[in-house]
């Protein structure tokens, strides 16, 4: 059975990555791709990579019959998604949201970091979309959809995905001091900032430059804390790198009192944790993840080491548009629709 899929906000970087994945997905048929600014323009005219791949043109948000879709992916800014999702759910459409609107469980926390939430009832219902760590929520959503209910998934953000995949196995195994701060330093490619150029992302300012931003104030902080159970203990610092795409997070975790193990033992623990996660690879001891090795894919690489100072250093590499956004959205949709989670996501990165 083929499912009809729509992408709202398809002209942006995450949106067009969804288009790229869905045009070759064996079970989802791309039926609509919306962009008010580019309505009526063929996708291939704006993004020539789609020449000979699709004749579909962008359409307007309001003028597109998204109610005829089985699933709609929202690749729109925060606040826009929570305005669109209720009507789609009411029409029986399953919604996969790539924005921040349905990630945080507590509406008060969302308001603290974003704005008042206008759909708190849906916020309470939304499954959190990070399959390797919230598989139970997605499995429950799949059961509800199979029973005829439209469901909503709020997909994890790019920084939370890489950071949490790197840190979660150690934390859940009880190896990390439950009172000490956890430090996450993460570096993202420029596409993570969205399509609209700013003084930070303009080529002349981003090229040949590295800088931290959102120090102590980045909106992904509460999301990472929620995933890892680190409320009030996370020191998260994002950085912008002169890359098109790719994200690397380095997480420093203090070992719990009495915890002692070798790096090889930690690698074995991580491999056991991700044994049923086909899109996550744990590197050998002494080998670190590379963003180039996951670019253009929905794959993640994780590396771990025990530091002599009584610390675990865990690293996670993803493509910020792949596993950090569009690919993860499709992975979640696969699970919700009862498909293999890797369906349409089997690509490997270019080796050089």
């Amino acid at each position: 059975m083929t499912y009809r899929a729509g992408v709202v906000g398809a002209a942006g970087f995450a949106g067009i990555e969804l288009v790229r994945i869905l045009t070759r997905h064996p079970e989802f048929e791309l039926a609509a791709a919306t962009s008010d600014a580019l309505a009526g323009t063929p996708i291939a005219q704006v993004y020539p990579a789609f020449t000979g791949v699709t004749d579909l043109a962008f359409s307007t948000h309001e003028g597109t019959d998204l109610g005829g879709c089985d699933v709609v992916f929202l690749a729109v800014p925060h606040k826009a998604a929570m305005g669109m999702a209720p009507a789609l759910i009411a029409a029986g459409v399953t919604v996969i949201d790539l924005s921040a609107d349905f990630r945080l469980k507590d509406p008060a926390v969302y308001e603290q970091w974003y704005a008042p939430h206008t759909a708190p009832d849906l916020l309470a219902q939304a499954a959190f979309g990070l399959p390797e760590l919230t598989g139970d929520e997605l499995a429950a959503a799949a059961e509800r959809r199979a029973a005829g209910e439209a469901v909503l998934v709020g997909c994890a953000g790019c920084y939370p995905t890489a950071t949490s995949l790197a840190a979660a196995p150690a934390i859940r195994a009880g190896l990390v001091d439950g009172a000490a701060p956890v430090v996450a330093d993460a570096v993202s490619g420029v596409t993570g900032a969205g399509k609209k150029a700013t003084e930070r992302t303009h080529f002349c300012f981003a090229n040949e430059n590295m800088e931290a931003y959102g120090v102590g104030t980045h909106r992904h902080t509460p999301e990472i804390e929620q995933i890892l159970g680190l409320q009030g203990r996370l020191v998260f610092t994002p950085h912008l790198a002169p890359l098109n795409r790719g994200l690397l997070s380095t997480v420093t975790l203090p070992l719990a009192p009495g915890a002692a193990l070798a790096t090889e033992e930690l690698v074995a623990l991580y491999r056991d944790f991700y044994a049923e996660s086909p899109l996550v690879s744990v590197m050998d001891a002494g080998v670190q993840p590379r963003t180039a090795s996951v670019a253009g894919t929905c794959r993640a690489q994780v590396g771990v080491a025990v530091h002599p100072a009584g610390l675990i250093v865990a690293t996670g590499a993803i493509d910020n548009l792949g596993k950090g956004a569009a690919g993860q959205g499709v992975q979640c949709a696969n699970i919700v629709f009862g498909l293999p989670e890797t369906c349409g996501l089997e690509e490997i990165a270019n080796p050089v």
Side-chain angles (χ1 to χ4, degrees):
M1 179 178 180
T2 300
Y3 301 100
R4 289 172 57 83
V7 178
V8 177
F13 288 147
I16 203 63
E17 181 72 358
L18 278 166
V19 170
R20 184 176 79 94
I21 295 170
L22 293 171
T23 52
R24 65 182 193 278
H25 196 287
E27 303 295 339
F28 291 128
E29 174 194 354
L30 182 62
T34 79
S35 167
D36 284 344
L38 294 171
T41 306
I43 292 173
Q45 182 175 320
V46 182
Y47 291 98
F50 292 97
T51 301
V53 176
T54 179
D55 296 325
L56 194 66
F58 293 109
S59 56
T60 61
H61 301 331
E62 296 295 332
T64 303
D65 180 19
L66 295 171
C69 293
D70 298 292
V71 59
V72 167
F73 297 86
L74 298 180
V76 294
H78 68 273
K79 295 194 288 187
M82 62 182 168
M84 298 175 177
L88 289 167
I89 295 292
V93 179
T94 285
V95 174
I96 310 293
D97 178 31
L98 271 58
S99 84
D101 283 359
F102 296 100
R103 295 172 185 163
L104 298 174
K105 301 295 187 183
D106 186 342
V109 175
Y110 182 90
E111 181 171 352
Q112 177 186 348
W113 290 86
Y114 293 93
H117 206 289
T118 60
D121 54 330
L122 286 182
L123 185 65
Q125 299 173 22
F128 188 82
L130 209 177
E132 293 79 10
L133 302 181
T134 62
D136 290 348
E137 289 189 43
L138 292 168
E143 290 179 2
R144 297 200 307 273
R145 198 212 64 83
E149 181 182 343
V151 300
L152 170 63
V153 176
C155 293
C158 53
Y159 282 126
T161 294
T163 301
S164 300
L165 290 176
I171 292 174
R172 295 189 182 184
L175 297 175
V176 178
D177 188 332
V182 168
V183 177
D185 292 313
V187 183
S188 176
V190 181
T191 53
K195 187 177 179 182
K196 186 177 180 180
T198 68
E199 287 193 6
R200 178 180 289 122
T201 63
H202 189 290
F203 176 83
C204 293
F205 298 116
N207 188 46
E208 298 292 339
N209 180 56
M210 282 277 290
E211 66 176 293
Y213 66 98
V215 179
T217 63
H218 196 277
R219 287 168 166 172
H220 281 177
T221 300
E223 185 183 341
I224 300 169
E225 291 181 337
Q226 174 181 277
I227 298 167
L228 297 176
L230 295 175
Q231 282 73 11
R233 294 197 292 124
L234 177 68
V235 182
F236 171 59
T237 306
H239 301 72
L240 187 69
L243 307 167
N244 280 352
R245 51 202 296 169
L247 191 155
L248 181 72
S249 185
T250 300
V251 191
T252 304
L253 306 123
L255 279 166
L261 72 170
T263 293
E264 290 76 11
E265 294 174 291
L266 191 58
V267 168
L269 183 150
Y270 268 62
R271 285 189 169 152
D272 182 64
F273 187 93
Y274 288 122
E276 303 301 320
S277 301
L279 294 174
V280 177
S281 298
V282 178
M283 313 304 285
D284 291 339
V287 179
Q288 290 298 315
R290 303 171 72 243
T291 58
S293 297
V294 293
T297 79
C298 189
R299 300 178 185 275
Q301 291 185 346
V302 174
V304 286
V306 177
H307 192 281
L311 304 166
I312 292 172
V313 179
T315 51
I318 62 171
D319 182 325
N320 56 288
L321 295 181
K323 182 60 174 161
Q328 184 141 269
V330 173
Q331 186 183 1
C332 291
N334 285 341
I335 293 169
V336 167
F337 281 80
L339 304 172
E341 66 180 278
T342 58
C343 190
L345 300 170
E346 295 89 353
E347 289 228 2
I348 61 172
N350 291 330
V352 294

